[in-house]
Amino acid sequence: MARRNLVPLFFLIAATFPFDASAFKCGNSPLKCQALIDHITPEPTTFVEVQTLFAVRNLRTLLGANNLPRSTPPDQKLPAKQTLKIPFPCLCHRGAGISNKRPVYTVKKGDDGLKDIAEKVFSGTVTDDAIAAANGISEKDPVKVGQKLSIPLPCSCDEVEGRKVIHYGYLAESGSSLEGIAERYGVSVPTLTEINGLKDGSSIRAGQLLDVPIRACNSSIRSDSIDSQLLVANGTYVFAAHNCVQCKCDSANNWTLQCQPSGVKPSDWSTCPAMECGLGKNSVLLGNSSASACRGATCNYGGFSSNQTIFTTFDRTCSAAPAPGPSTGGKIGLKNWNIILLSLVHLMVLQLFCIGG
Ligand SMILES: *[C@@H]1O[C@H](CO)[C@@H](O)[C@H](O)[C@H]1NC(C)=O
Ligand SMILES: *[C@@H]1O[C@H](CO)[C@@H](O)[C@H](O)[C@H]1NC(C)=O
Ligand SMILES: *[C@@H]1O[C@H](CO)[C@@H](O)[C@H](O)[C@H]1NC(C)=O
Ligand SMILES: *[C@@H]1O[C@H](CO)[C@@H](O)[C@H](O)[C@H]1NC(C)=O
Ligand SMILES: *[C@@H]1O[C@H](CO)[C@@H](O)[C@H](O)[C@H]1NC(C)=O
């Protein structure tokens, strides 16, 4: 009965308090994407506890978003006040983006209302209003131990300056400046200002949540691939093709996605299919460069298909042109002949002169 009465209230709240109105607009397509948000550990914890709190599918995904070694043990300790980037799926609806049905938080003993949960457990990345709206309750309602709350993390899937990006919910540290954040994440100050609805020259306070659009690497993934929308933020790595492939993005590599076989047990396939460019003895493993026919060309990830196929492609077209090595050698040979011939002519001319003299 009580729930029934709450339904109209939910719509009222949702209409009156949209999620943080100034930032994290999510207006244009696509409607779903991957996003990142900061989490500051309120107390000492472990990687696996953070993974569980945010329902991140596996530990590797959490480690990849933070560019930490894959070998990091699940129970490795994290001190209090440690910042981690949390990867999560984002869903756009009516101009705002929120995490897609997760995480779900179970109220614990000692939690003192929605505001306390929002600020203490979720580092202020969500507001009590937003949690209330997402769960159809009032932000003043008391919460009960064991109650399950859907936590709507703010996010966006919007393109920025005509480019697909990963939106990162960045929690400003004390002393943060827009210039500093812009430089660290390769974004311009005007872009940060505009996307966050800030006034020109405004200062940033510690704990303020900012939408930082991180540039992603370009890839050769086919449009008919299941993961044709794959975007990998700079400074992170992800697993693709049911975990068979590991791809990283580093701006130092000219914004090109670098993928290789992951060596991880696949999630939906019994084994990983072949991951190479070309056939037979000239084939090149995904991520490696060709030493023969197409010298220096890298074998790139091209996506995957439901019929247990991983697509690959060389990063440039390899024509049947002769390999550079031997042909250059041939030219040097010819040049040498020219020199010898020239010398001979020289000698003959000299001889003629001598005879003439
Ligand atoms: C990748 O590059 C192609 C052409 O160079 C461009 O059309 C595409 O938008 C780029 N993708 C990203 C994600 O930057
Ligand atoms: C990309 O990420 C790397 C590694 O985190 C970092 O060193 C580099 O500055 C970033 N590049 C840009 C343009 O943000
Ligand atoms: C970097 O990538 C661009 C476009 O993808 C290309 O035109 C350029 O030649 C590349 N630069 C280097 C140094 O590889
Ligand atoms: C190909 O890549 C694998 C790792 O993915 C590496 O162990 C191997 O040495 C590479 N082979 C060549 C010929 O570069
Ligand atoms: C799997 O599907 C792709 C297209 O999605 C096709 O190009 C490929 O030939 C198929 N492979 C097999 C073994 O059926």
Side-chain angles (χ1 to χ4, degrees):
M1 281 304 276
R3 274 202 81 85
R4 268 179 169 236
N5 294 337
L6 285 172
V7 173
L9 187 64
F10 161 59
F11 284 111
L12 191 77
I13 292 165
T16 340
F17 303 103
F19 317 103
D20 193 357
S22 61
F24 294 96
K25 291 193 180 63
C26 199
N28 51 35
S29 57
L31 296 174
K32 279 183 189 174
C33 65
Q34 283 296 313
L36 294 168
I37 197 158
D38 270 345
H39 174 63
I40 303 173
T41 55
E43 51 197 41
T45 181
T46 62
F47 277 100
V48 73
E49 277 170 4
V50 175
Q51 182 209 333
T52 308
L53 177 63
F54 286 93
V56 180
R57 193 154 293 145
N58 49 52
L59 184 67
R60 282 190 302 276
T61 308
L62 179 61
L63 296 173
N66 291 280
N67 212 10
L68 291 165
R70 251 172 65 178
S71 55
T72 308
D75 57 358
Q76 174 148 324
K77 291 200 166 48
L78 279 162
K81 302 257 182 300
Q82 178 85 28
T83 305
L84 281 181
K85 292 192 190 85
I86 308 295
F88 67 96
C90 178
L91 186 67
C92 296
H93 184 61
R94 296 192 179 182
I98 53 166
S99 52
N100 193 1
K101 298 194 200 83
R102 58 172 141 133
V104 173
Y105 179 69
T106 308
V107 178
K108 291 185 178 50
K109 218 174 128 190
D111 289 339
D112 186 18
L114 293 183
K115 203 172 175 64
D116 182 53
I117 292 169
E119 280 166 13
K120 191 187 66 190
V121 185
F122 294 100
S123 334
T125 50
V126 280
T127 60
D128 49 347
D129 294 343
I131 301 179
N135 292 279
I137 55 177
S138 158
E139 77 271 21
K140 288 186 198 75
D141 280 358
V143 289
K144 290 187 287 290
V145 173
Q147 187 177 346
K148 294 207 183 317
L149 295 170
S150 166
I151 307 297
L153 302 171
C155 57
S156 174
C157 298
D158 281 1
E159 292 191 354
V160 173
E161 287 159 2
R163 195 182 264 149
K164 288 194 180 112
V165 294
I166 302 276
H167 288 264
Y168 165 39
Y170 172 80
L171 279 172
E173 292 146 18
S174 68
S176 292
S177 68
L178 277 183
E179 289 75 17
I181 299 164
E183 188 178 337
R184 182 156 156 210
Y185 294 102
V187 201
S188 76
V189 173
T191 298
L192 271 186
T193 308
E194 196 201 316
I195 204 172
N196 287 286
L198 302 170
K199 291 196 189 75
D200 276 342
S202 60
S203 57
I204 300 300
R205 61 182 161 74
Q208 186 172 348
L209 185 69
L210 291 172
D211 180 355
V212 177
I214 304 186
R215 192 170 159 189
C217 274
N218 214 330
S219 66
S220 332
I221 298 177
R222 286 163 47 155
S223 55
D224 63 345
S225 166
I226 291 173
D227 62 352
S228 60
Q229 300 293 324
L230 181 74
L231 264 192
V232 185
N234 180 46
T236 71
Y237 64 85
V238 302
F239 292 84
H242 298 312
N243 290 333
C244 287
V245 177
Q246 182 176 349
C247 298
K248 72 167 181 181
C249 174
D250 186 346
S251 60
N253 194 48
N254 199 19
W255 297 104
T256 306
L257 195 62
Q258 291 170 282
C259 302
Q260 62 183 62
S262 67
V264 172
K265 201 175 162 290
S267 54
D268 282 41
W269 292 334
S270 52
T271 55
C272 289
M275 292 175 249
E276 49 197 29
C277 293
L279 292 167
K281 65 174 169 51
N282 280 336
S283 69
V284 175
L285 193 62
L286 181 65
N288 282 5
S289 292
S290 171
S292 56
C294 193
R295 193 181 292 258
T298 306
C299 181
N300 279 342
Y301 176 59
F304 71 105
S305 150
S306 54
N307 63 6
Q308 202 165 346
T309 308
I310 289 179
F311 307 126
T312 55
T313 170
F314 275 120
D315 60 353
R316 52 185 165 83
T317 19
C318 300
S319 60
S327 68
T328 325
K331 269 182 198 142
I332 288 166
L334 262 177
K335 252 191 203 146
N336 287 346
W337 272 114
N338 285 345
I339 290 165
I340 292 166
L341 262 170
L342 255 167
S343 311
L344 272 175
V345 172
H346 232 106
L347 265 174
M348 278 162 77
V349 172
L350 267 174
Q351 256 176 357
L352 274 173
F353 268 103
C354 286
I355 291 163

